[in-house]
Amino acid sequence: MGLLQFLKSQFLCHLIMCYVFLVSGLIVNLIQICTLPLWLVSKQLARKINIRLAYCIASQMVAALEWWSGTECTLYTDPKSYPLYGKENAVVILNHSFEIDFLCGWTFCERFGVLGSSKVLAKKELAYVPVIGWMWYFLEIVFCKRKWEEDRTTVAQSLQKLRDYPENYWFLLFCEGTRFTPKKHQFSMQVAESKGLPKLKYHLLPRTKGFYVTVQNLRGTAAAIYDSTLNFRNNEVPTLLGILNGKKYHADLYVRRIPLESVPEDEAECAAWLHKLYQEKDGFQEQYAQTGRFPGPIVSPPRRPWSLINWLFWSCVVLYPLGLLIAQLLSSGSVLTIAAAVVVCSAVSMGMRWMIGQTEIDKSSNYGIKATALNNN
Ligand SMILES: CC/C=C\C/C=C\C/C=C\C/C=C\C/C=C\C/C=C\CCC(=O)SCCNC(=O)CCNC(=O)[C@H](O)C(C)(C)COP(=O)(O)OP(=O)(O)OC[C@H]1O[C@@H](n2cnc3c(N)ncnc32)[C@H](O)[C@@H]1OP(=O)(O)O
Ligand SMILES: CCCCCCCC/C=C\CCCCCCCC(=O)OC[C@@H](O)COP(=O)(O)O
């Protein structure tokens, strides 16, 4: 292990990174609150400012992936579709099998210039996660309770608000609704069997209602569906803690651009369309398992320096006062103050560990296992 790799694995480095993320994130959250009056005067200007503020937060995690861990992200796609990426609104459909799939998604957003404005249909619980969840409120992220009776109106209303969004965005949908686990897969395939649908090997049965409502409400606003299938080389199991430890992963993303007009308007036909899409996605994963690659050519966008520059900027802003504070603490020689500082540091690191825990599949919800399946059928 080289010196740099050794440094990257040190807890102190992680503590500093988490401190920068947390403190700069809370500063950005505070600025976001200050933009509230502006929404009444100029909604579009408030949105544009919030897009940039969101970039300040999200791009720190992208920088950790791209520059700290050096993870490589390869894009398989049709070169004719490539020039359109980032230049239009799109609904992105992604498999939900990896702890850092959202982060790889963000990385592609960054490379195509839509990171600050990118959206997702997210479970409501994430709205309460400090920094990211609070930032999402100002980005008009669409939240769902994963209870259709409640979601049917709220999700549609939130989507309607995005129709006049001032900048291009990608709207991410994990149609599987929860992260893949063998147990969830087993229950999901029982549902597939009961509905006479073909079994999937690498995906859970997609939930079609969220997709239908998204397509209906963004028709005329989003130009295309980006059907995206993600996997990692050499059966890597990537984690956020791995990224913090500087571990380098190799992500492969296969994207097909499908014009949104080609998705049927009728609800049942739209659901059947999505089921067929997931059967195709399963085929792509099978090909990846067999050959180690997705179909089609590789047209990878390079990483850009902005995420790194943003990260260095915020590090300077928040580490300088911290340095002064530590110097003052040490020179004061007060055991009580130093003990208080240690308690604060421990609390912060526990809080960050809880936040990182939100990404861990081991801590995944029970959504999609038996009780739900029976309730829904
Ligand atoms: C060029 C580059 C291209 C791409 C780059 C890639 C990506 C970048 C893009 C953007 C990035 C943006 C942001 C990323 C940042 C962070 C994101 C992080 C995380 C957030 C993710 C989440 O929170 S995922 C969880 C929340 N989201 C969802 O659940 C969405 C999918 N769900 C739905 O659509 C649901 O329908 C619903 C939520 C709207 C409603 O839920 P409910 O449970 O009530 O669903 P249903 O009524 O649909 O469920 C019953 C139906 O489902 C069938 N079914 C299937 N399996 C089961 C099962 N195991 N148990 C029960 N039921 C099951 C069932 O048969 C029912 O079928 P029907 O036919 O009756 O509908
Ligand atoms: C610059 C370095 C910064 C390092 C520290 C970063 C710490 C940030 C920590 C957490 C950010 C929270 C991001 C939350 C995104 C979680 C996405 C996710 O995957 O949600 C799961 C959801 O889809 C389904 O949930 P279930 O499987 O049903 O349960």
Side-chain angles (χ1 to χ4, degrees):
M1 186 194 280
L3 179 65
L4 194 61
Q5 206 52 40
F6 172 76
L7 273 177
K8 285 182 182 178
S9 67
Q10 293 310 296
F11 179 67
L12 186 63
C13 285
H14 307 159
L15 201 62
I16 293 172
M17 285 164 75
C18 287
Y19 164 81
V20 172
F21 179 77
L22 192 67
V23 176
S24 63
L26 292 175
I27 293 172
V28 169
N29 286 161
L30 205 68
I31 304 173
Q32 289 185 304
I33 292 173
C34 297
T35 66
L36 278 175
L38 188 59
W39 286 82
L40 303 172
V41 185
S42 171
K43 185 169 138 188
Q44 298 300 49
L45 179 62
R47 282 169 151 177
K48 286 184 179 191
I49 293 173
N50 274 285
I51 288 170
R52 272 130 203 105
L53 290 171
Y55 181 87
C56 292
I57 296 178
S59 74
Q60 288 190 41
M61 291 184 70
V62 170
L65 180 110
E66 291 187 331
W67 296 94
W68 179 260
S69 82
T71 290
E72 276 172 20
C73 297
T74 303
L75 180 65
Y76 290 74
T77 198
D78 169 16
K80 285 197 201 115
S81 305
Y82 187 91
L84 295 169
Y85 299 154
K87 309 267 184 333
E88 60 185 7
N89 294 335
V91 176
V92 175
I93 294 180
L94 188 61
N95 54 308
H96 209 5
S97 336
F98 301 100
E99 293 187 358
I100 61 160
D101 47 19
F102 76 95
L103 188 50
C104 291
W106 263 350
T107 300
F108 284 100
C109 290
E110 155 61 12
R111 294 186 189 193
F112 289 100
V114 289
L115 179 59
S117 55
S118 64
K119 316 259 170 266
V120 60
L121 175 54
K123 60 176 182 179
K124 185 76 189 159
E125 294 85 332
L126 292 174
Y128 309 112
V129 175
V131 180
I132 301 260
W134 301 345
M135 151 190 115
W136 276 349
Y137 174 78
F138 295 91
L139 266 193
E140 300 165 79
I141 291 295
V142 182
F143 290 105
C144 63
K145 292 190 174 166
R146 296 189 285 191
K147 291 186 186 118
W148 181 239
E149 317 78 63
E150 294 179 50
D151 291 337
R152 66 185 324 146
T153 41
T154 53
V155 170
Q157 280 165 0
S158 307
L159 285 163
Q160 275 298 318
K161 289 187 187 143
L162 299 180
R163 292 190 67 88
D164 66 343
Y165 208 70
E167 293 189 19
N168 289 329
Y169 59 85
W170 292 348
F171 185 89
L172 175 62
L173 254 180
F174 289 113
C175 294
E176 293 160 271
T178 187
R179 272 135 340 152
F180 186 103
T181 67
K183 197 172 171 192
K184 288 184 182 182
H185 182 240
Q186 192 191 335
F187 285 118
S188 158
M189 288 308 105
Q190 282 173 14
V191 176
E193 201 171 356
S194 73
K195 292 180 149 193
L197 289 163
K199 293 212 172 148
L200 300 169
K201 190 171 167 190
Y202 300 96
H203 298 87
L204 305 177
L205 192 67
R207 311 278 178 152
T208 58
K209 293 193 179 79
F211 175 69
Y212 173 71
V213 83
T214 303
V215 169
Q216 283 307 92
N217 284 282
L218 295 185
R219 222 176 255 284
T221 301
I225 304 283
Y226 293 170
D227 168 36
S228 308
T229 309
L230 178 72
N231 212 327
F232 286 82
R233 292 197 197 152
N234 314 315
N235 296 317
E236 288 165 345
V237 183
T239 64
L240 196 52
L241 280 180
I243 297 289
L244 275 183
N245 275 298
K247 188 164 175 7
K248 177 177 179 158
Y249 300 110
H250 300 81
D252 284 319
L253 184 75
Y254 175 43
V255 180
R256 291 187 298 169
R257 183 187 182 277
I258 305 168
L260 197 122
E261 310 89 76
S262 62
V263 180
E265 288 198 32
D266 171 75
E267 184 166 359
E269 285 177 27
C270 178
W273 187 94
L274 188 70
H275 283 304
K276 185 167 166 281
L277 188 90
Y278 269 76
Q279 284 149 28
E280 290 167 4
K281 287 170 87 66
D282 227 45
F284 302 143
Q285 291 287 23
E286 181 63 29
Q287 176 173 349
Y288 192 88
Q290 302 288 335
T291 65
R293 54 166 300 143
F294 285 123
I298 291 172
V299 216
S300 275
R303 63 181 180 182
R304 308 187 309 163
W306 308 117
S307 61
L308 181 64
I309 292 170
N310 172 71
W311 200 19
L312 293 175
F313 167 76
W314 284 106
S315 299
C316 294
V317 169
V318 302
L319 285 176
Y320 178 68
L322 179 73
L324 291 181
L325 192 73
I326 291 174
Q328 253 181 5
L329 266 182
L330 293 178
S331 61
S332 79
S334 157
V335 178
L336 200 69
T337 330
I338 293 173
V342 171
V343 170
V344 170
C345 277
S346 311
V348 168
S349 73
M350 276 159 63
M352 287 306 296
R353 188 63 195 84
W354 175 82
M355 281 169 70
I356 291 167
Q358 297 300 306
T359 66
E360 291 172 355
I361 294 180
D362 280 355
K363 300 192 177 89
S364 183
S365 68
N366 283 330
Y367 181 75
I369 43 185
K370 201 160 191 170
T372 335
L374 290 177
N375 286 343
N376 280 326
N377 284 283

